[in-house]
Amino acid sequence: MDAINIIQIVINVLRLILQILYYICQSVYYNFFGLPEKSVIGEIVLITGTGHGIGKELAIQYACLGATIVCLDINKQANEETVKEIKTINKNAYAYQCDVTRREDVFAVAKKVKEEVGDVTILVNNAGIMPCHVLLDHTINEIVQLFNVNVLAHFWILQAFLPSMIEKNYGHIVALSSITGIVGLPNLVPYSATKHAVQGLMDALENELRVTNNGKSFIKFTTIYPYMVDTGLCKKPKINKMLEAFLLLSSTKDTAGQIIKAQRQNIKTRSVPSFWLPLVSFVRLLPENAQTSIIDFIDSGVEPS
């Protein structure tokens, strides 16, 4: 290695150190003073699973902020009820029945949305299912359906709606993972695996677009990691009474509000409640036996149903 190569390496390392210091200072500033929230007025927001729960709340709250809402759900009646509720407050919303696990259905709906509403600019992959059993009690169909809804549907939705974002180099993709996508919990083994997959999908896709656009991609990504939300999916929550004040189920309204805030602030990752991601990051620095002790101390999750 000659002197010129050594000098280039040193310069590049110094540049990297300066970049790291800059982003640390930026992060500290935003933690103290907060991030600005971008407007969603005029944006076309497509949300999956809007017939109930978090998806319904997201649709209503985005509509109240001035966005045009595209609601996708397999349950036609529940989805139309959501849109009807939005229209009572004089907001723009459109209902489309769609089985997001079927690629052909997704692409057929995408064609209608483009013709009838326009190009989607904010995409929220929210639809999900969560059967709770020990692994050996899961049926083949249950596991396959878990991956169809919680993982493969993300791919079909992205393949259908991402091209227009890439063409305009503009848009925002939001995906719901789960705390169980970071820390696997008993009675949720296949579910945890699907939520790990969502995390990997979002990380890899963001990096792929950044590299293929030479660092000039303006498509934003936000991955949300809820703990337990009162949507009806969590039928038998297991909550340590001693820590009950910190481990209660979040409401769908509050969860949706935090998701929208994270998207409007261009936050890449956010847990609900917000303390979970920093806590998990800290615990991961500890020895494995210490991590296990903390998990046993928290002693919360779900019971088999």
Side-chain angles (χ1 to χ4, degrees):
M1 184 179 295
D2 58 29
I4 293 177
N5 285 336
I6 293 173
I7 291 171
Q8 287 178 334
I9 291 171
V10 171
I11 290 172
N12 287 332
V13 169
L14 288 173
R15 182 185 294 118
L16 175 61
I17 291 170
L18 288 173
Q19 287 176 330
I20 291 170
L21 290 173
Y22 169 78
Y23 290 124
I24 288 173
C25 292
Q26 184 185 65
S27 178
V28 170
Y29 175 85
Y30 285 138
N31 281 330
F32 275 102
F33 298 103
L35 285 161
E37 295 182 33
K38 61 187 179 184
S39 172
V40 295
I41 294 174
E43 303 281 3
I44 298 177
V45 183
L46 182 142
I47 307 163
T48 64
T50 44
H52 72 288
I54 297 171
K56 181 175 182 177
E57 278 294 336
L58 284 169
I60 293 169
Q61 292 187 35
Y62 266 120
C64 290
L65 289 170
T68 296
I69 312 301
V70 178
C71 296
L72 265 61
D73 201 288
I74 195 170
N75 187 324
K76 186 174 186 290
Q77 182 178 351
N79 201 36
E80 288 177 348
E81 284 296 323
T82 298
V83 168
K84 183 179 178 182
E85 187 171 339
I86 292 171
K87 287 185 174 180
T88 60
I89 51 177
N90 297 318
K91 304 298 180 183
N92 292 326
Y94 301 81
Y96 295 90
Q97 184 180 22
C98 182
D99 181 350
V100 292
T101 69
R102 294 172 57 86
R103 189 175 186 272
E104 59 272 27
D105 285 9
V106 171
F107 274 75
V109 167
K111 186 173 183 293
K112 287 183 181 178
V113 170
K114 186 176 181 66
E115 293 171 350
E116 299 171 4
V117 188
D119 288 326
V120 170
T121 56
I122 299 174
L123 175 61
V124 185
N125 271 314
N126 162 74
I129 57 174
M130 192 182 77
C132 307
H133 322 298
V134 296
L135 174 61
L136 297 182
D137 286 346
H138 276 83
T139 65
I140 294 172
N141 289 340
E142 216 169 33
I143 293 173
V144 169
Q145 188 65 359
L146 262 165
F147 278 85
N148 280 337
V149 176
N150 293 4
V151 182
L152 293 180
H154 286 244
F155 285 91
W156 312 149
I157 292 287
L158 286 166
Q159 286 184 339
F161 294 98
L162 184 57
S164 64
M165 293 186 183
I166 292 175
E167 182 182 349
K168 296 178 179 178
N169 196 19
Y170 179 82
H172 202 129
I173 297 166
V174 181
L176 268 72
S177 179
S178 167
I179 288 298
T180 67
I182 304 172
V183 180
L185 293 180
N187 305 313
L188 291 172
V189 174
Y191 178 81
S192 293
T194 65
K195 294 305 182 178
H196 273 280
V198 170
Q199 180 186 34
L201 164 61
M202 291 289 280
D203 286 346
L205 181 57
E206 180 179 16
N207 280 324
E208 181 172 280
L209 292 184
R210 181 179 58 82
V211 171
T212 55
N213 284 274
N214 298 315
K216 297 179 181 178
S217 174
F218 291 104
I219 298 172
K220 305 299 182 181
F221 288 78
T222 297
T223 307
I224 303 295
Y225 299 89
Y227 173 57
M228 287 193 288
V229 184
D230 190 13
T231 62
L233 292 179
C234 190
K235 297 185 179 359
K236 293 184 178 180
K238 177 186 177 184
I239 299 174
N240 186 334
K241 294 296 182 183
M242 182 175 62
L243 303 174
E244 190 171 16
F246 302 99
L247 301 174
L248 291 175
L249 273 66
S250 301
S251 71
T252 55
K253 184 175 182 179
D254 179 64
T255 301
Q258 292 194 51
I259 292 169
I260 293 171
K261 184 175 182 180
Q263 180 270 313
R264 294 181 66 196
Q265 292 179 325
N266 289 330
I267 292 175
K268 184 177 176 180
T269 57
R270 167 64 60 83
S271 60
V272 180
S274 60
F275 66 79
W276 275 110
L277 276 184
L279 176 61
V280 170
S281 297
F282 168 73
V283 171
R284 285 279 166 81
L285 298 173
L286 302 176
E288 289 183 4
N289 289 339
Q291 295 181 37
T292 302
S293 296
I294 292 172
I295 291 171
D296 291 343
F297 172 76
I298 294 174
D299 189 30
S300 297
V302 294
E303 301 284 3
S305 58

